[in-house]
Amino acid sequence: MIKPNHLTPGSRIAIVSLSSGMLGEEYCSHSVEIGTKRMEEFGLVPVFMPNSLKGEEYLNKHPEKRAEDLKQAFFDDSIRGIITAIGGDDTFRLLPYLMEDQEFIHAVQNSPKLFLGFSDTTVNHLMFHRIGLQTFYGQSFLCELAEMENEMLPYSKESFLGCFRGFGAIRPSGVWYEERTDFSRAAVGTARISHKETHGYELLSGSPVFEGELLGGCLESMYDMLESKRYPEEGEICRRYHIFPEREEWAGKIVFLETCEEKPSPKVLQDELKALEEAGVFGAASGIIVGKPQDEQYYGEYKDIYREMFQDRGLPVLYNVNFGHALPRAILPYGARARVDAGRQEILLQ
């Protein structure tokens, strides 16, 4: 797997809107200001790609323009990293414009750049995994860098600094935060509702120590790639370019999974996990790590589902890890070898 260089002070970072175009809406203008200032405080130079701020309607109608921004970021030798604005739900529409462009694929392989995003950006991550580039799952411009508190959330900030120095150990956060209900300019400077973490990492089944390379993403995005219930054409497009990893590619992997802001019901979670199982995700995996559910919605119900599904086969499952849609968020490097130790409450990355 091709590994990009770390970021350094002065690095030019492309901001791309690969799914939702909300970054360009007036109701996000204060978030753009905050995120720009935060990046500059890190010594980074934000570069908003030409179509990234054109708004929801335009980018919904023009997936080729979203793809064009990603291409140009890779073609530009002055760009060192790429951060997605936010997720969405139709990133798959970019695949034909990217995977059929050999110049783009050549640029990815020969001019690797740090790529950071989460949620529906899972599709992009798995696309890059197919091409051979290591990418990073867990944060985005709007969700982390544009956090409306006076400072970036400390745990998330510490993880973001890994983009500069590399990623080592991931341990439980001492607090978790509820999602905001007010993202308006009037809410700038207000603190999130926080709670003391009372669970830590929970081992639901299998050995407390397991190892493997990381591969996974947002469960809803992965399910949509397989079942096409949201967009009928999604499965066919993803299969055309072999985006979802084949059964044998999951062998020996630590599968990381997390649920989105839609907070799927326990029944939906069961359906999603069964679809992944039928696709061969869990058959030869070395273990699973599961992100904390947003707002701890269905916390106990989800836990029961994972335990019931995997404990009889002895597959290790570590639950309540700080990545995904619940705050704060760690960053997980695709393809990194990880050693999970539930007893020591840590995930060591190599």
Side-chain angles (χ1 to χ4, degrees), residues 54-112:
K54 289 188 176 178
E56 294 174 292
E57 182 177 1
Y58 181 85
L59 291 184
N60 180 57
K61 291 180 178 178
H62 296 285
E64 76 281 2
K65 294 298 183 181
R66 297 182 245 161
E68 185 178 296
D69 279 356
L70 186 59
K71 291 180 185 182
Q72 291 306 315
F74 272 96
F75 295 155
D76 186 342
D77 289 338
S78 75
I79 298 292
R80 194 178 183 98
I82 302 165
I83 299 178
T84 58
I86 198 167
D89 68 3
D90 72 340
T91 312
F92 76 94
R93 295 173 64 200
L94 280 60
L95 291 173
Y97 305 104
L98 299 170
M99 293 301 287
E100 295 184 19
D101 188 330
Q102 290 302 311
E103 185 180 5
F104 167 71
I105 293 173
H106 179 84
V108 171
Q109 294 172 335
N110 291 276
S111 301

Side-chain angles (χ1 to χ4, degrees), residues 205-206 273 277 282 288 305-317:
S205 66
L273 291 174
E277 183 170 38
F282 307 121
I288 303 170
I305 289 169
Y306 277 100
R307 181 184 289 117
E308 291 168 6
M309 186 167 181
F310 297 108
Q311 66 179 355
D312 288 346
R313 68 184 78 178
L315 185 64
V317 178

Side-chain angles (χ1 to χ4, degrees), residues 187-216:
V188 173
T190 61
R192 288 180 179 266
I193 298 172
S194 63
H195 301 269
K196 181 179 179 181
E197 177 59 62
T198 59
H199 304 291
Y201 295 165
E202 297 196 60
L203 183 69
L204 305 187
S205 66
S207 170
V209 178
F210 54 99
E211 298 186 26
E213 294 180 355
L214 294 172
L215 183 60

Side-chain angles (χ1 to χ4, degrees), residues 246-277:
E246 301 293 339
R247 186 178 299 264
E248 59 272 16
E249 294 178 83
W250 296 98
K253 299 296 192 295
I254 292 178
V255 182
F256 64 88
L257 300 172
E258 56 96 7
T259 46
C260 74
E261 78 285 354
E262 295 173 354
K263 302 174 183 176
S265 70
K267 174 61 169 62
V268 170
L269 176 67
Q270 285 181 315
D271 292 342
E272 292 171 339
L273 291 174
K274 288 177 182 177
L276 266 62
E277 183 170 38

